[in-house]
Amino acid sequence: MGDIAFTGTTSLILILLLAVLVIGIILFFKNYFKQKSNANLTETYKDHKWDSPLAARNKYPDVNAFRFTRPIFLFGLAAALAATLFAFSWTTYDEVVDIPDGALEWDEEIEIEPPRTAEPPPPPPPPPPPVIEEVPEEEIEEEDEPEFIDQDITEETVIEEPVVEEAPPPPPPPPPPPPAEPEIFKVVEQMPRFPGCEDVSGSNKEKEDCAKQKMLQYIYKNLKYPAIARENGVEGTAVLQFVVSETGKVVDVKVVRDIGAGCGDAAAKVVNAMNNLPQRWTPGKQRGRPVKVLYTLPVKFKLE
């Protein structure tokens, strides 16, 4: 005998039928005993002689509910076994997601320069060299002989204290340079992984393959084919790029190749919704520390 499996809908229908059957039996016996109790049983058993006082413990055999103890017990046992069978045979099936063949491949290589990190401003240009102008000889005047001043100091000489002017305050220090943004990598030792495979035993390569499969299932399960693209028969591959941050958040989602008719925007909407998942991406690592990684993702649109 093969395994018995019921879908949720089938199990629910069977349990409802079983409940209706139980309610129907209860109503049947209720109506049966009501009809018997309305009969003139006192007149019927007026001259009856009971074989034993115990035989008349229910007064009249017609309304003796204990006569049905065995069939009711067997029916209850069968109903309990049937309900247990339905419960254990309740089988849930994962939704089948149609993933196109070669979903992570595209026809041509797209070379796009990754976002650049902030660079320090260039140094100011050097000042121009001084211009030496030749003075005509006519303008050169002979210098007068220097005048010698007697600088001898005697007791009568009065020396005045020089006036010292206060120096101006020093200029404020220049503001500190802005912190440099972390570098964005394209290839790292451990690439970022879509959530859902970190508990899988195996190497990083096996976890990465599992994460790619989970990512494709998520994308093609939630991707909505734009109505205008479906009506006009638009098919092709849209290519997106986004950055997985050091905390596993998806940022800077860009459509780098769009096939039109709203397909690129539909794919970007699904990628942006990754931040609403219960778990975030596992960030990429370079030399053991989390880093920003640029991720390229092709999304194929194919009409059935």
Side-chain angles (χ1 to χ4, degrees):
M1 181 178 177
D3 295 335
I4 301 176
F6 298 111
T7 61
T9 304
T10 304
S11 299
L12 183 61
I13 293 175
L14 292 175
I15 292 175
L16 289 176
L17 290 177
L18 184 62
V20 170
L21 181 60
V22 172
I23 294 174
I25 292 175
I26 293 174
L27 293 177
F28 168 77
F29 278 105
K30 183 178 180 180
N31 185 54
Y32 172 80
F33 286 114
K34 185 177 181 180
Q35 291 179 354
K36 290 295 183 181
S37 63
N38 292 333
N40 192 7
L41 297 178
T42 304
E43 187 68 24
T44 303
Y45 291 97
K46 179 175 62 174
D47 299 328
H48 188 79
K49 301 294 184 180
W50 305 104
D51 298 334
S52 169
L54 295 177
R57 65 184 184 275
N58 294 308
K59 192 174 182 181
Y60 301 120
D62 303 70
V63 291
N64 182 12
F66 291 98
R67 292 187 303 161
F68 305 100
T69 300
R70 181 176 178 82
I72 291 177
F73 171 76
L74 294 177
F75 172 76
L77 183 61
L81 290 175
T84 304
L85 177 64
F86 297 155
F88 279 97
S89 301
W90 190 324
T91 305
T92 57
Y93 299 93
D94 294 334
E95 182 180 356
V96 179
V97 180
D98 185 17
I99 300 176
D101 297 334
L104 294 177
E105 301 175 358
W106 62 93
D107 301 334
E108 58 189 55
E109 187 71 19
I110 298 179
E111 291 291 341
I112 296 180
E113 185 178 359
R116 295 183 178 180
T117 56
E119 298 180 356
V131 180
I132 301 176
E133 297 181 358
E134 184 179 359
V135 180
E137 294 182 358
E138 294 80 9
E139 298 182 6
I140 300 177
E141 299 179 356
E142 293 183 1
E143 295 183 358
D144 298 334
E145 293 183 1
E147 181 182 356
F148 293 96
I149 301 174
D150 185 11
Q151 297 183 355
D152 293 339
I153 298 175
T154 63
E155 293 181 358
E156 292 79 10
T157 304
V158 178
I159 300 176
E160 296 180 359
E161 183 179 0
V163 179
V164 181
E165 297 180 358
E166 294 183 0
E181 295 184 3
E183 183 181 359
I184 299 176
F185 295 84
K186 294 184 68 176
V187 179
V188 291
E189 296 172 354
Q190 178 181 314
M191 293 296 290
R193 295 192 292 259
F194 189 81
C197 294
E198 295 308 306
D199 296 335
V200 176
S201 59
S203 62
N204 285 333
K205 180 65 170 60
E206 293 173 343
K207 290 184 178 180
E208 185 176 347
D209 293 340
C210 171
K212 288 181 179 179
Q213 190 66 22
K214 292 278 188 181
M215 179 182 64
L216 293 176
Q217 291 177 359
Y218 163 80
I219 290 174
Y220 290 101
K221 179 181 179 181
N222 296 280
L223 183 65
K224 304 297 183 183
Y225 212 117
I228 187 172
R230 189 182 298 275
E231 294 172 359
N232 291 276
V234 177
E235 294 183 340
T237 302
V239 181
L240 290 84
Q241 282 190 336
F242 54 90
V243 175
V244 181
S245 68
E246 305 95 321
T247 59
K249 188 176 181 180
V250 175
V251 296
D252 298 334
V253 181
K254 298 179 181 178
V255 181
V256 296
R257 190 176 78 176
D258 196 357
I259 58 176
C263 293
D265 293 337
K269 183 178 180 181
V270 175
V271 173
N272 279 312
M274 292 179 180
N275 292 322
N276 299 329
L277 295 174
Q279 297 178 344
R280 289 187 176 181
W281 281 60
T282 300
K285 292 184 178 180
Q286 182 72 5
R287 296 180 180 177
R289 64 181 182 89
V291 294
K292 289 185 176 181
V293 180
L294 183 69
Y295 201 96
T296 303
L297 175 66
V299 179
K300 293 192 174 183
F301 290 84
K302 185 177 180 181
L303 294 172
E304 296 296 332

